[in-house]
Structure formats: structure tokens, C-alpha cells
Amino acid sequence: PASLETLVNGKRGVIALVPVGSTEPHGPHLGLGTDVVISAAACLRAAELLDKRGTMIGVIAPAISYGVTDCATGFSGAVSIPGAVLTPYIAAICDGLLASGIRHVCLVNNHLEPAHDAAVRAVLAGREKKVSYACPLTKRWARTLSAAFKSGACHAGRYETSIIMAAGPEFVVEELRTRLPSVPISLSEKLAAGVNTFEEMGLKAAYAGDPASASIEEGEQLIQRLGEMVVGEVLE
């Protein structure tokens, strides 16, 4: 593969796609880095779509694997970074990438905790032309996703589990996934009502939704839509 120096000195603009996620429990069947795996899959698909356009090159930067995960307080494996720390950290990463000759940076986030989302979005202030943000919480993209996502019962449920089955099946404990009962609790509704932790919401095993109904086919479709989301934000 060509070096970054060769790419930035070439004719096509280089777009850095940065996977953003968190380190937190995702039920007994998925790994702590689930959100990062989802973001990386979206970046990979977006890079393929950008390459087909012929005018830009998408490169995938090292991931930002920790974030604001206060919702998972009390569960083993949850490592939360304060938003006031996360924003300048990500901003410094973006500035460093731009200083290296990258034309544009897109932060691709699939950890949907509101405080985390706000901390990442804050990076755009003063960098609107140079940095974009792709996240399913943006309504225009949320509309393109599955019914499981729209239900709000989507933490390690059918939505996220399908994507991981397609993007990284080695991160799924199949013998557990297929036996898990459905947990029909909408995180979005709970958060809107002021219930802010998994424990208070009733997510006893740190998942919501129906992971047993997940499928590779649905995961592939969702990865395509997430990749299109990233490309849409970059082009805009």
C-alpha cells in the first residue's frame, strides 16, 4: 500500500475516516469494543464507496476506543472518559491529521450515549469545513436504519448484533446469543424520561432488544447504510 506521504501528494484528496466508539459491556454475547467495531465497519465500507467515485481516497485512521459511558456505570468493563477530556483529545487528533496533509477528517461515531455524542460533536466548532461528523443519531440517517434501531431497544440487541455478525463474527458468542431472551426496553424513551443508567432502565445483562433474531444478512444491509451515511457527511 502507498504511504500516507505519497497519498497526500497525489491528485486525489485524502479523507481520514476516524472510527469512534467506547469501551463498555454489550450483553454476555458481544465484546466491550462493539461500538468501535461497528464504526470501523462503516469506515471500511465508506472508503470503498469513496474510491468508486474516483475523486477522493478514504483512509482509515486508528480508532478512538474510549468515550463517555456513564450509562453503563456499575457494570464491569465500563471505562468512561469525561466529555471535557474527550473533546480536546479528539480535537487534537483531528488537528494532527489535518497538519499531516489530510484534506478532510470525518469522525464516525456509533456510541450513542447523549453526553458522548455531544462531546464528539463539539469538536466541529471552528472546524466545520475541515471536520465532519457521521452518527446515526442524526435524524436524516436514523430514518435509513432498521426498525430495531428506530425502536430504541438497540444496545447489543438485533441491530448491533447483526452488524457484528457481519463485520466481525469472531466477536460474537453464538451459543449465548441464540439463547438470550428479548429485552423490549427502549433506551431512547428511558433517557428522555430522565432514566440515565442501564441498571435503572432494567438492563440486567447490559443489553436491550432481541439479539437472538439478528442475522448476517441484516448486518450487511446496515453496514451499507452506515457507509452511505459517512459518504453523505463527507460530501456535504
Side-chain angles (χ1 to χ4, degrees):
S3 68
L4 182 59
E5 182 178 5
T6 299
L7 291 175
V8 299
N9 289 323
K11 294 182 179 179
R12 293 199 285 173
V14 179
I15 313 298
L17 308 175
V18 184
V20 181
S22 68
T23 298
E24 65 173 3
H26 282 76
H29 62 298
L30 299 179
L32 298 177
T34 289
D35 295 336
V36 180
V37 175
I38 293 172
S39 289
C43 288
L44 180 58
R45 185 61 52 87
E48 295 168 352
L49 295 172
L50 287 169
D51 187 60
K52 288 179 181 179
R53 296 182 65 87
T55 56
M56 292 172 279
I57 297 175
V59 296
I60 303 173
I64 297 168
S65 301
Y66 293 87
V68 183
T69 57
D70 294 337
C71 285
T73 296
F75 285 90
S76 297
V79 180
S80 189
I81 306 298
V85 174
L86 186 63
T87 299
Y89 174 67
I90 297 178
I93 291 171
C94 291
D95 292 343
L97 289 169
L98 293 168
S100 72
I102 296 289
R103 180 175 294 182
H104 185 85
V105 177
C106 183
L107 300 170
V108 181
N109 173 49
N110 283 277
H111 175 52
L112 308 183
E113 188 163 331
H116 175 86
D117 174 65
V120 182
R121 286 182 189 271
V123 174
L124 273 61
R127 300 178 178 84
E128 289 83 357
K129 300 294 184 180
K130 292 292 185 179
V131 180
S132 56
Y133 180 52
C135 176
L137 285 178
T138 303
K139 289 182 180 179
R140 63 186 288 199
W141 305 120
R143 290 194 208 85
T144 70
L145 298 175
S146 64
F149 176 85
K150 295 172 186 175
S151 74
C154 55
H155 180 77
R158 176 171 176 165
Y159 170 76
E160 289 191 327
T161 302
S162 291
I163 295 173
I164 299 299
M165 288 172 66
E170 66 274 21
F171 299 121
V172 184
V173 184
E174 273 293 299
E175 60 269 27
L176 290 178
R177 177 190 75 81
T178 56
R179 294 190 285 109
L180 290 174
S182 177
V183 178
I185 296 175
S186 171
L187 274 68
S188 55
E189 291 178 2
K190 291 291 186 180
L191 288 167
V195 183
N196 296 313
T197 69
F198 292 166
E199 189 173 21
E200 293 171 332
M201 293 175 188
L203 275 60
K204 296 179 180 179
Y207 78 92
D210 187 16
S213 67
S215 69
I216 294 173
E217 293 74 20
E218 185 167 334
E220 281 291 344
Q221 293 170 3
L222 291 166
I223 291 170
Q224 178 67 21
R225 292 171 189 173
L226 292 173
E228 291 168 354
M229 172 189 75
V230 175
V231 172
E233 292 291 355
V234 167
L235 295 179
E236 188 169 293

